[in-house]
Amino acid sequence: MSGAPPPPGDPPGGPGDDGDDARDLLAAEYALRLLEGEELLHARGLAGTDAGFRAAVEAWERRLAPLAETVAEVDPGPEVWARIERAVAAETAAGTGAQAGADEPARDNVVALKRRERLWRGLAGTMAALAAGLALALYLAVAQPDPTGAPPTAGAPAPSLVAALAADDGTAALAIAYEAERGSVLVTPTLLQPAAGHDHELWLIAGEGAAPVSLGLVRTTAPQRLAVPAAARGGIRPAATLALSVEPTGGSPTGAPTGPVIASGPLQPL
Amino acid sequence: MDRTPPQAAREREQLSLALARVAQGSQAALAEVYGKTSAKLFGICIRILEERSEAEDALQEIYVNVWRKAGSFDPAKASPITWLAALARNRSIDRRRSLRSRGASAPVEEALDLADDRPDALARLEAAEEGSRIAACLSELEGRQDRAIRAAFYEGLSYPELALRLAVPLGTVKSWIRRGLLRLKDCLER
């Protein structure tokens, strides 16, 4: 057991350290965003896979957060809000996969999905079975024009491909269904922890060696629909992989995954 | 122990409720959140990004993020303004580092004047009264530990950037900050 503290400059949390203190310092440094390079990748990996480390990071974020209270306020001017309004309106429109005329409002779907979500959280069974069942149930729910629960209209096609994404340590799970007509994926998080300061981003990897394509950020608490870019739709086929990574808030700044992949799974025919 | 006065508690609850409505898709609720918090968050962005147009872009991204992830805000775990401020800080730092790695010309890095970042006695008293124990605990640290931690928090500087700014070796600034963090934690846990 090492009695000496690590020499200045060495990252804490390495072998031979006084483990808990060093890990907690690393969590503080990560929360403060002091880290770069190798140290940052190491800490990010821990944050993606180690719930205890994540908890330590969140504790430090809570300790430090009140410092922001003394920052001087600055009026941003009216133009920024106008841009935000437009961006949000555009996202809402894209999120419904709007087709001319016929769709029920997206928010009604989300409310209906949320009601069912409470049932889904209690489901047992293998991840694959869960995903297939959820994906079908999700699809039937949104295909219903009648919110009172009438059966789907004849001819409403079932989703063709589904995926179950699960982390090895059971800390994350997503059920995904591809809706070919809308060109979007329906994502239901069944076990996903929000991570302060980070977002979860979903990636499509069309085949061996293909570059991951971002499908967007995944909310941890509610089912949602993500539009698949038209250029990427050709990559949605059996054996393509979907992967979930932990990214800085707002998603990867580079267009490729920068954080650890915490769950992945292949697309499979239903 | 929560010593926030009733007014602050009411505002906090209203903001939490507004965020819940944002999560359900209300753009009007987002406007309410923006109206109440944008000046504070913009202040955070400006401090980190130093250039107004960059800070405006960051602010836009931040509120679009609020729109997307309001559902993940848990009022039991954090106050709404600290949740928002953390989003703002993180997004601004991401942007700052992305600019740097893309080789964008950095704002003129003046040597950090270590003297002017510590709040005066009155501000410290106010911070203590507001229940901001961390401000009180920071002021108990050695000056250089306190100032280094503040520079990291308020300016969004990483270890290498801090070493450059303070003109000391990397190992030195790491040891200042680590010792400061350990003492901070002790103080907060008293």
Side-chain angles (χ1 to χ4, degrees), chain A residues 29 33 36 67 91 219, chain B residues 68 94 97 154 158-159:
Chain A
E29 292 169 324
R33 308 289 306 266
E36 290 202 31
L67 287 177
E91 278 206 9
R219 285 195 306 268
Chain B
R68 292 173 185 165
D94 290 340
R97 296 191 185 169
Y154 290 110
S158 64
Y159 271 140

Side-chain angles (χ1 to χ4, degrees), chain B residues 112-183:
Chain B
L112 188 67
D113 183 347
L114 298 190
D116 62 17
D117 221 20
R118 290 192 90 169
D120 59 22
L122 178 61
R124 268 181 277 151
L125 185 63
E126 285 174 345
E129 283 179 347
E130 278 170 41
S132 175
R133 300 207 50 238
I134 182 156
C137 283
L138 266 181
S139 66
E140 290 185 18
L141 299 182
E142 283 178 29
R144 58 198 188 177
Q145 292 169 351
D146 173 11
R147 286 183 284 260
I149 290 175
R150 282 175 191 281
F153 185 87
Y154 290 110
E155 324 289 328
L157 301 181
S158 64
Y159 271 140
E161 288 176 319
L162 266 176
L164 212 62
R165 195 74 94 80
L166 302 176
V168 295
L170 189 60
T172 303
V173 78
K174 283 186 176 180
S175 114
W176 287 350
I177 287 211
R178 285 176 184 156
R179 289 190 194 142
L181 288 170
L182 285 172
R183 287 178 55 185

Side-chain angles (χ1 to χ4, degrees), chain A residues 10 12 24 29 32-34 36 39 67 69-71 74-75 83 91 107 199 219 248-249, chain B residues 24 39-40 52 57 60 68-69 87 89-91 94 97 100 130 154 158-159 174 178 185:
Chain A
D10 277 5
D24 195 57
E29 292 169 324
L32 262 172
R33 308 289 306 266
L34 284 161
E36 290 202 31
E39 293 181 320
L67 287 177
E69 281 163 22
T70 59
V71 172
V74 180
D75 184 350
R83 282 152 50 184
E91 278 206 9
R107 289 295 149 191
D199 275 335
R219 285 195 306 268
T249 306
Chain B
Q24 286 166 356
K40 175 65 79 183
R52 194 174 175 104
D57 289 349
Q60 179 184 337
R68 292 173 185 165
K69 51 185 300 190
L87 267 183
R89 180 171 177 269
N90 278 314
R91 197 68 192 124
D94 290 340
R97 296 191 185 169
R100 191 191 65 196
E130 278 170 41
Y154 290 110
S158 64
Y159 271 140
K174 283 186 176 180
R178 285 176 184 156
K185 190 179 171 194

Side-chain angles (χ1 to χ4, degrees), chain B residues 10-159:
Chain B
R10 269 198 301 277
E11 284 172 3
R12 172 180 167 148
E13 189 182 353
Q14 284 195 319
L15 197 49
S16 298
L17 290 172
L19 281 170
R21 293 199 308 277
V22 172
Q24 286 166 356
S26 164
Q27 295 186 33
L30 184 69
E32 181 184 338
V33 171
Y34 183 87
K36 288 179 170 169
T37 61
S38 58
K40 175 65 79 183
L41 299 200
F42 194 56
I44 291 171
C45 298
I46 288 251
R47 192 94 184 253
I48 291 171
L49 289 163
E50 297 176 286
E51 203 212 342
R52 194 174 175 104
S53 70
E54 279 301 324
E56 288 176 355
D57 289 349
L59 196 69
Q60 179 184 337
E61 288 172 14
I62 287 158
Y63 282 95
V64 171
N65 253 349
V66 171
W67 172 252
R68 292 173 185 165
K69 51 185 300 190
S72 71
F73 168 65
D74 182 351
K77 280 189 168 180
S79 87
I81 191 63
T82 59
W83 185 78
L84 289 163
L87 267 183
R89 180 171 177 269
N90 278 314
R91 197 68 192 124
S92 299
I93 291 175
D94 290 340
R95 205 176 170 88
R96 182 195 161 91
R97 296 191 185 169
S98 165
L99 282 171
R100 191 191 65 196
S101 70
R102 288 206 304 266
S105 62
V108 172
E109 302 260 352
E110 293 160 17
L112 188 67
D113 183 347
L114 298 190
D116 62 17
D117 221 20
R118 290 192 90 169
D120 59 22
L122 178 61
R124 268 181 277 151
L125 185 63
E126 285 174 345
E129 283 179 347
E130 278 170 41
S132 175
R133 300 207 50 238
I134 182 156
C137 283
L138 266 181
S139 66
E140 290 185 18
L141 299 182
E142 283 178 29
R144 58 198 188 177
Q145 292 169 351
D146 173 11
R147 286 183 284 260
I149 290 175
R150 282 175 191 281
F153 185 87
Y154 290 110
E155 324 289 328
L157 301 181
S158 64
Y159 271 140

Side-chain angles (χ1 to χ4, degrees), chain A residues 104-126:
Chain A
E104 61 274 42
R107 289 295 149 191
D108 287 351
N109 290 347
V110 175
V111 170
L113 292 171
K114 279 181 177 173
R115 272 190 249 119
R116 284 173 167 74
E117 192 185 4
R118 281 192 284 275
L119 295 174
W120 296 330
R121 286 193 187 277
L123 285 178
T126 65

Side-chain angles (χ1 to χ4, degrees), chain A residues 45-217:
Chain A
L46 280 178
T49 57
D50 182 334
F53 184 76
R54 216 159 36 230
V57 173
E58 286 170 10
W60 273 105
E61 285 172 339
R62 277 196 298 276
R63 284 182 196 109
L64 295 162
L67 287 177
E69 281 163 22
T70 59
V71 172
E73 296 193 343
V74 180
D75 184 350
E79 182 50 37
V80 185
W81 173 246
R83 282 152 50 184
I84 292 166
E85 263 193 318
R86 284 196 292 272
V88 160
E91 278 206 9
T92 308
T96 60
Q99 296 154 350
D103 283 320
E104 61 274 42
R107 289 295 149 191
D108 287 351
N109 290 347
V110 175
V111 170
L113 292 171
K114 279 181 177 173
R115 272 190 249 119
R116 284 173 167 74
E117 192 185 4
R118 281 192 284 275
L119 295 174
W120 296 330
R121 286 193 187 277
L123 285 178
T126 65
M127 276 298 132
L130 179 63
L134 284 176
L136 191 53
L138 267 175
Y139 190 85
L140 293 175
V142 301
Q144 291 172 9
D146 177 356
T148 63
T153 53
S160 47
L161 292 168
V162 296
L165 272 57
D168 287 336
D169 62 357
T171 58
L174 259 74
I176 299 184
Y178 176 59
E179 306 168 290
E181 293 69 39
R182 294 173 187 255
S184 58
V185 287
L186 253 169
V187 179
T188 302
T190 56
L191 272 178
L192 201 56
Q193 295 296 323
H198 297 92
D199 275 335
H200 295 95
E201 192 159 358
L202 186 66
W203 305 88
L204 169 68
I205 302 156
E208 188 85 27
V213 173
S214 174
L215 299 181
L217 302 179

